[in-house]
Amino acid sequence: MKKGFVLLLFFILLFSCKAIKVSEPKFFTNVKIDTLLREKISIRPIAVSSDKVWYAADKNRVGFVSLIDSNKFERTINKDSLRLEFRSIAQTNNSIFILNVGNPAFLYKFSKNLIEKSIVYEEHNEKVFYDSLQFWNDKEGIAIGDPIENCLSLLITRDEGLTWTKIQCDNLPKVVEGEAAFAASNTNIVIKGNSTWIVSGGKKSRVFYSPNKGNSWNVYDTPIIHGEAMTGIFTADFYDDKIGFIAGGNYEKKSQNFQNKALTIDGGKTWKLVGENIGFGYASCVQFVPNSSGEQIVSVGTSGLFYSKDKGTTWKQLSSDNSLITIRFIDNKTAIAAGKDKIIRIIFF
């Protein structure tokens, strides 16, 4: 009886194992594109939810498009006859924040329907140029900009964006002459939990890391090309607190596809060049595909839309559209992208 029972159990386990199908990873091979907005406009930053995409743009404009029926709401901000170009946007549960580049700098807080607005920070300086804006949570947020003194400009809010404080350079890492940030796609700042990464370019391509929501900082070198004004890291994303990806290159040599992509698996302390001499050249935005274990990445820029299934080692072009500047995922197969004269929805399959 005992021997018969063991044999029976063996065959049950054998056939059970055969019946279990090992699911293969789902990799993308193509895209379907729906146009949500088409007009004369330049859009670099977007913020997405399940039913809306908010955008900030050139010529004093801010708006949103419904992801359900593509209806648009847009308003123009009139401020002392100034022509403002907004390249940073962030959202909390109740508010939208936008920040312009150039002098003077204005940080606006809006209600989610964009009806109510207020200026929550203002700065006048011939060197002022803010690049990116993000929130850790509904109360705490951060904005960064090019150096005015010997550090990156850094703003912090701890009260839901009602007030913003500029951090003194004595409390921040120093930059080298000619090191700055790029307002390419609002991806100079990446936040995961309490951890924050800021990327730079120009004379140096470095990563500034804070483990505690901006209270202290470490700085790490990267192998991304640098040394000239328009070289360096233009965009970054982290899948979790360990796996991250940076990209950029040489804006004046947009097809140059070496020393423009790097991966970290230790939270940004060390970086390794990947995809050398293959794939895209200059990139303005990279994003990890959700629920992909940090393996899958997409990039947009002047080379088009590219996709990697192996942490940036190899790349496949899924679209030749070189007008896209920024991209954000809604779920693991749907993203919203924007750039010159458009906002589109991309279905990956």
Side-chain angles (χ1 to χ4, degrees), residues 59 186 196 198:
K59 299 179 181 177
N186 198 40
T196 311
I198 294 171

Side-chain angles (χ1 to χ4, degrees), residues 176 178-179 182 200-206 221-233 249-250 256 258-260:
V176 302
E179 183 180 15
F182 295 111
S200 71
K203 293 297 183 181
K204 284 282 189 179
S205 292
R206 299 195 292 175
D221 290 328
T222 80
I224 295 292
I225 189 170
H226 57 271
E228 299 178 29
M230 299 307 292
T231 61
I233 310 168
N250 189 334
Q256 183 172 305
F258 57 88
Q259 289 183 267
N260 67 324

Side-chain angles (χ1 to χ4, degrees), residues 13-164:
L13 291 173
L14 177 65
F15 285 108
S16 297
C17 290
K18 286 185 176 180
I20 297 172
K21 294 182 179 179
V22 179
S23 59
E24 293 295 328
K26 177 63 175 177
F27 297 131
F28 301 142
T29 58
N30 214 329
V31 293
K32 176 185 175 183
I33 294 175
D34 298 323
T35 300
L36 303 173
L37 175 69
R38 173 79 71 174
E39 64 179 65
K40 189 70 175 178
I41 194 169
S42 176
I43 301 172
R44 293 175 181 264
I46 57 175
V48 299
S49 68
S50 60
D51 64 346
K52 286 186 181 69
V53 51
W54 289 268
Y55 62 88
D58 60 345
K59 299 179 181 177
N60 302 61
R61 290 175 287 181
V62 59
F64 64 79
V65 177
S66 169
L67 296 178
I68 299 172
D69 56 19
S70 297
N71 284 336
K72 181 193 80 169
F73 176 84
E74 185 176 280
R75 64 178 298 178
T76 301
I77 299 170
N78 296 313
K79 180 62 179 173
D80 303 329
S81 301
L82 294 171
R83 292 178 67 85
L84 302 177
E85 181 175 355
F86 296 102
R87 297 193 188 179
S88 299
I89 193 169
Q91 65 171 315
T92 61
N93 280 334
N94 299 315
S95 305
I96 294 290
F97 296 82
I98 64 173
L99 178 60
N100 68 293
V101 294
N103 178 38
F106 297 102
L107 204 169
Y108 284 89
K109 178 182 181 181
F110 287 87
S111 57
K112 281 280 180 101
N113 61 9
L114 302 184
I115 301 300
E116 300 174 11
K117 74 174 174 64
S118 60
I119 297 175
V120 291
Y121 181 80
E122 181 175 340
E123 185 174 350
H124 296 255
N125 189 295
E126 62 179 11
K127 294 183 178 180
V128 69
F129 195 100
Y130 281 96
D131 303 280
S132 193
L133 171 67
Q134 300 290 346
F135 273 76
W136 290 287
N137 50 54
D138 282 345
K139 287 188 175 182
E140 299 170 291
I142 179 174
I144 63 104
D146 291 351
I148 290 178
E149 300 177 43
N150 60 351
C151 67
L152 291 172
S153 296
L154 197 154
L155 307 177
I156 297 284
T157 182
R158 307 288 187 190
D159 61 0
E160 301 182 3
L162 294 175
T163 61
W164 295 75

Side-chain angles (χ1 to χ4, degrees), residues 333-347:
K333 65 177 182 178
T334 310
I336 305 299
K340 179 177 170 54
D341 302 337
K342 71 178 73 169
I343 298 175
I344 62 174
R345 175 166 36 212
I346 304 173
I347 309 297

